[in-house]
Amino acid sequence: MSLHRLLSSLLLSSIFMLNPVLSFAEEAATGKTYSPKYKQFEAPKENIPKYFAMEKNVVNFKGEGQAKFLAIDLKFMSYYPQIVEIEMEHLRPILKNDIDRLLRNKTYTQLKSPTGPDELRAEILKVARDILEKHNLFPDLLEDVYLERFVMQ
C-alpha cells in the first residue's frame, strides 16, 4: 500500500472516530442534515411521530381465483410534520396512482405468504420515497408506513 493511500485511510478513520453517528434522540433534536438539493425543513421541536393517512385504497388485483379485490388503509410516519401535513397532501394523487399500480400487480400468493404484508410495506415505502425524491424532498424524512387495514376478498 502506498504511503498516500495509508495516510488517506488513517485520515478517514480518524474523521469517523471524531464524528460518531448521532443517536436517534440527538438526530431528532438537531434535525437530519442532507443535501441542499432537497427542500430544507426546520428540525422538529418534539420527537413525536406525525402521520399521513391514505384510506380506502381498493383495487382489483391478481387474486389467482382466490380473491378479486385488495383493500388497504395506510399511515405514513415522519417526525417532520411538514412532510406529512403539507408536502404529502400535495402529492396525494401521485401517491395514490403509484401505490394502486403497485397493488394491482401483486398476486394472492405473494400477499398471503407469511412475509407478504411486510414486503408490501417495504415496497410501498420505496414508492412513496421515490415520489418524494422526484419532488425534491429528502426521502429519508419519511420514516415508515403502516398497514391499518389489509383485506383480500
Side-chain angles (χ1 to χ4, degrees):
M1 182 184 285
S2 73
L3 181 60
H4 177 70
R5 291 179 93 179
L6 179 62
L7 290 173
S8 295
S9 296
L10 289 172
L11 177 62
L12 283 175
S13 62
S14 67
I15 289 172
F16 286 115
M17 291 175 74
L18 292 174
N19 295 320
V21 176
L22 293 175
S23 71
F24 178 77
E26 292 170 324
E27 184 178 279
T30 61
K32 291 186 178 188
T33 56
Y34 46 91
S35 170
K37 80 176 189 173
Y38 297 111
K39 184 175 180 179
Q40 299 294 307
F41 295 102
E42 184 178 318
K45 292 177 180 28
E46 301 173 313
N47 191 20
I48 299 173
K50 305 291 183 198
Y51 297 93
F52 173 77
M54 291 188 70
E55 298 172 344
K56 297 180 178 43
N57 287 352
V58 180
V59 297
N60 292 329
F61 79 117
K62 298 176 182 177
E64 301 169 330
Q66 301 292 320
K68 293 182 180 185
F69 301 102
L70 172 63
I72 63 171
D73 289 347
L74 303 170
K75 284 231 173 145
F76 292 92
M77 191 270 283
S78 176
Y79 289 98
Y80 284 74
Q82 308 93 317
I83 290 291
V84 294
E85 293 172 2
I86 299 169
E87 302 297 340
M88 289 187 73
E89 188 61 47
H90 294 305
L91 298 172
R92 183 182 292 274
I94 300 166
L95 287 162
K96 175 136 178 60
N97 179 69
D98 290 5
I99 291 169
D100 284 357
R101 183 180 329 122
L102 171 71
L103 298 175
R104 284 191 298 272
N105 288 311
K106 290 293 169 192
T107 65
Y108 180 82
T109 304
Q110 289 171 320
L111 297 174
K112 194 66 176 171
S113 76
T115 59
D118 289 330
E119 291 169 2
L120 180 62
R121 280 182 55 215
E123 291 178 46
I124 291 171
L125 184 60
K126 181 181 179 339
V127 165
R129 284 178 169 170
D130 288 348
I131 291 168
L132 291 179
E133 187 163 24
K134 285 179 190 172
H135 290 87
N136 297 322
L137 300 167
F138 186 57
D140 289 348
L141 295 181
L142 188 61
E143 298 285 335
D144 211 340
V145 62
Y146 302 99
L147 301 177
E148 288 200 315
R149 177 175 67 147
F150 181 85
V151 179
M152 294 185 284
Q153 287 186 323

